[in-house]
Amino acid sequence: MAVEARTKYETVIGIEVHAQLRTDSKMFCGCPTAPPDGGTDEPNTRVCPICLGLPGTLPVINRRAVELVMLTGLALNCHVETDAVRFERKNYFYPDLPKGYQISQYALPLTSNGRLVVNVPSEGAEVTIGITRAHLEEDTARMQHAGRGYSVVDFNRAGVPLMEIVTEPDLRSPAQARAYGETLRELLRAIGASNADMEAGSMRIEGNVSVRPAGSTTFGTKVEVKNLNSFRSLERAMAYEVERHVAALEVGEALTQETRGWDEEAGRTIVQRSKEEANDYRYFPEPDLPPLRPSDAWVAELRDRLPELPAQRRTRYTDELGLSPYDAGVLTADVALADYFDAVVAAGVTPKAAANWISGELSRLLNQHAAEGLRADAVALRPDGLAELIGEVEAGRVSSINAKAVLATAFESGESPRAIIEREGLGAVSDAGAIGAEIEAVLAEFPSQVAEYRDGKQQLFGFLVGQVMKRTAGRADAKLVNEELRRRLD
Ligand code: ADP
Ligand code: MG
Ligand code: ZN
């Protein structure tokens, strides 16, 4: 599509996220939320009359789940409601919902009216996204369509505490939508509210999108996109919808308000349900549960318990540690990586050097293991080990090239970098005599390059340095090589 067509319109996106809360037991009964450590999850084993919705049972509110939603609300600068928050029944019929209704919050959510500051690296900007609400509800069972016209259902997930977080329609691009999802994931992990793992289904995301003529103050017709399995899918699906909407408006076609599903392989969305078929949930107050009245003291205690949030960390890294906004962004995009960084700095490394190694080599190695979901807290080499290696580099006892090789080995084995340097004979050659001899050999081997350099072809200096490093298998002290080579050439 022509660029002019696209810039005539503004994109509007709002996001709905469902996150499973990190509790041991379910929302309204004592059933465990996960199989015992190391055990396999046999379908329909973590169930009881309450989460199976049998008649005559009464739900009991999980205090920990209430706390985690309040904690999330506080982290998102929300108002926490302390005045009689009612649970309500959201009625609809589906085989994954044994009671015929889901217990949720509707008219008055536990927390509302907040904001999240999101750093959008690809746009070089920070945006503030309004949070409409974060409320508490329960998860449904898991359906599996087995083909041949029948389906099976597993109630282990039924009644697991779930939080829904809804944004205002404040996002203005697919990249912002993705950055919001990633930022929210890190926040939920930082406060321990949820594992927030899209692949494992503990975080699920829906994107609502519309476009409007640039400058317009009313919203266009919105489409809700479901079935998004990753943040990348979210970004792609939003971009696909924006193109589709603009193309329709350009030829004067009206859009329909509907729910669509993202087909990852085909890279497009398909209609699932139009507005006319939308459910009427007939919400009404849950008569079996008392209204929630969190005390001010409880809210204050939770506020005190909030750990340093990713955005605060970013500010501390730039303002107190002097890191670039880029480095601060990379490090705080992943709680485990930021914790690792803090530990390396605590071990005595300067923040700048620690940031270089962690956002550079360490992140590169982590990326190679991304498929296994390896995070910094599970890397064999602990922060004091990396601090030891950086110390060796700064003391000139190992070249930075060889230090990278040492890091790759220690990353896998957890061995002390000093021990690896010793064993593999990777220690730096910083003896001026030995380096001088290698330089003489290089000058003798490349006389024409030497002559050209002396005639003013400055770039050849780097070539000659490279040759010296090659002859010493990367062990020569680079600073010394530079000095010695210059002394002999000039
Ligand atoms: P629904 O009742 O269809 O669920 P809501 O008003 O609850 O709609 O909004 C759901 C989500 O859609 C929210 O994140 C909201 O910000 C977003 N949204 C609402 N209107 C629009 C719009 N015109 N374009 C994009 N997103 C929108
Ligand atoms: Mg909605
Ligand atoms: Zn149960």
Side-chain angles (χ1 to χ4, degrees):
M1 182 183 315
V3 173
E4 311 80 68
R6 230 179 289 134
T7 53
K8 266 166 56 188
Y9 296 91
E10 182 180 45
T11 298
V12 173
I13 296 173
I15 306 278
E16 294 165 283
V17 163
H18 284 91
Q20 281 182 348
L21 295 167
R22 262 176 66 178
T23 59
D24 293 333
S25 59
K26 291 189 182 179
M27 189 59 230
F28 299 114
C29 64
C31 292
T33 51
D37 264 346
T40 51
D41 201 19
E42 288 298 317
N44 299 308
T45 50
R46 297 182 284 107
V47 293
C48 74
I50 294 178
C51 58
L52 286 176
L54 302 188
T57 56
L58 283 176
V60 177
I61 301 169
N62 182 329
R63 181 186 169 94
R64 176 87 184 131
V66 174
E67 271 194 357
L68 292 177
V69 172
M70 291 201 286
L71 207 57
T72 304
L74 292 170
L76 291 171
N77 283 294
C78 285
H79 163 70
V80 176
E81 191 55 64
T82 50
D83 183 31
V85 181
R86 290 227 63 126
F87 283 99
E88 295 187 53
R89 290 187 180 180
K90 178 180 182 178
N91 299 278
Y92 64 97
F93 178 77
Y94 201 65
D96 65 4
L97 195 66
K99 296 193 293 289
Y101 58 85
Q102 177 191 33
I103 303 180
S104 181
Q105 294 174 337
Y106 185 59
L108 192 59
L110 185 50
T111 76
S112 58
N113 236 325
R115 67 194 133 80
L116 179 62
V117 177
V118 176
N119 185 24
V120 192
S122 59
E123 294 177 1
E126 258 183 10
V127 290
T128 300
I129 306 307
I131 304 293
T132 314
R133 57 196 282 150
H135 74 241
L136 187 53
E137 56 189 39
E138 55 175 337
D139 212 343
T140 58
R142 195 192 291 274
M143 296 277 293
Q144 208 175 310
H145 304 291
R148 295 171 181 263
Y150 74 95
S151 298
V152 290
V153 57
D154 174 9
F155 288 96
N156 284 349
R157 199 181 71 179
V160 166
L162 201 63
M163 169 168 60
E164 179 171 358
I165 304 169
V166 182
T167 76
E168 291 292 298
D170 284 349
L171 300 134
R172 291 292 172 268
S173 67
Q176 289 181 14
R178 177 181 188 156
Y180 167 78
E182 292 173 342
T183 305
L184 183 64
R185 172 185 60 186
E186 288 318 310
L187 180 105
L188 295 176
R189 288 177 175 171
I191 63 175
S194 173
N195 293 332
D197 185 338
M198 296 270 291
E199 248 168 75
S202 55
M203 178 167 178
R204 296 165 228 152
I205 204 157
E206 281 149 30
N208 297 270
V209 52
S210 63
V211 302
R212 60 182 174 186
S216 159
T217 50
T218 54
F219 288 134
T221 303
K222 82 161 184 179
V223 162
E224 181 180 9
V225 184
K226 292 182 183 287
N227 196 29
L228 301 165
N229 294 319
S230 66
F231 296 115
R232 183 167 170 268
S233 304
L234 169 68
E235 185 173 10
R236 289 180 70 201
M238 294 297 99
Y240 176 88
E241 279 300 304
V242 169
E243 294 274 312
R244 193 176 68 80
H245 289 214
V246 170
L249 296 180
E250 280 293 290
V251 296
E253 231 171 66
L255 287 146
T256 343
Q257 186 172 330
E258 60 197 4
T259 301
R260 300 174 73 95
W262 173 245
D263 180 339
E264 176 72 31
E265 247 160 61
R268 63 188 168 87
T269 62
I270 8 187
V271 189
Q272 285 187 337
R273 192 171 53 168
S274 76
K275 193 190 178 188
E276 288 69 48
E277 306 158 55
N279 282 306
D280 172 7
Y281 296 118
R282 297 173 294 119
Y283 282 96
F284 67 86
E286 166 61 66
D288 292 341
L289 290 170
L292 280 174
R293 289 195 175 83
S295 70
D296 292 336
W298 192 14
V299 176
E301 183 208 316
L302 290 174
R303 201 184 292 277
D304 281 347
R305 234 204 276 160
L306 271 185
E308 185 183 38
L309 302 175
Q312 294 167 330
R313 226 176 197 181
R314 204 157 54 229
T315 310
R316 177 165 64 84
Y317 286 178
T318 53
D319 296 6
E320 287 173 33
L321 301 184
L323 298 189
S324 68
Y326 175 82
D327 279 346
V330 170
L331 293 171
T332 55
D334 179 341
V335 177
L337 201 65
D339 286 344
Y340 199 101
F341 167 78
D342 280 343
V344 171
V345 172
V349 175
T350 61
K352 185 65 200 155
N356 282 345
W357 280 90
I358 293 169
S359 66
E361 277 307 289
L362 191 80
S363 294
R364 199 181 59 77
L365 292 165
L366 280 166
N367 281 340
Q368 290 177 354
H369 294 266
E372 304 130 58
L374 180 68
R375 289 166 63 91
D377 52 358
V379 169
L381 181 70
R382 300 316 307 144
D384 50 347
L386 180 58
E388 178 185 307
L389 179 63
I390 298 172
E392 293 300 290
V393 176
E394 298 203 322
R397 286 193 289 272
V398 63
S399 68
S400 47
I401 296 173
N402 282 344
K404 285 179 186 169
V406 172
L407 179 56
T409 306
F411 183 89
E412 304 284 350
S413 68
E415 244 178 310
S416 144
R418 254 191 226 117
I420 298 171
I421 293 168
E422 181 88 1
R423 191 185 63 229
E424 318 246 314
L426 292 171
V429 176
S430 50
D431 170 58
I435 288 176
E438 300 297 347
I439 291 177
E440 289 306 329
V442 167
L443 297 183
E445 190 181 343
F446 299 100
S448 62
Q449 280 86 347
V450 170
E452 280 179 60
Y453 171 79
R454 288 190 168 130
D455 279 347
K457 207 166 169 202
Q458 294 286 327
Q459 315 83 287
L460 282 170
F461 189 75
F463 166 80
L464 294 168
V465 170
Q467 290 304 319
V468 178
M469 296 310 282
K470 202 168 146 192
R471 287 185 68 93
T472 58
R475 292 170 59 208
D477 177 336
K479 198 163 144 260
L480 205 57
V481 171
N482 273 273
E483 284 167 10
E484 281 296 306
L485 190 61
R486 225 173 262 292
R487 205 170 57 78
R488 278 156 217 258
L489 285 172
D490 297 344

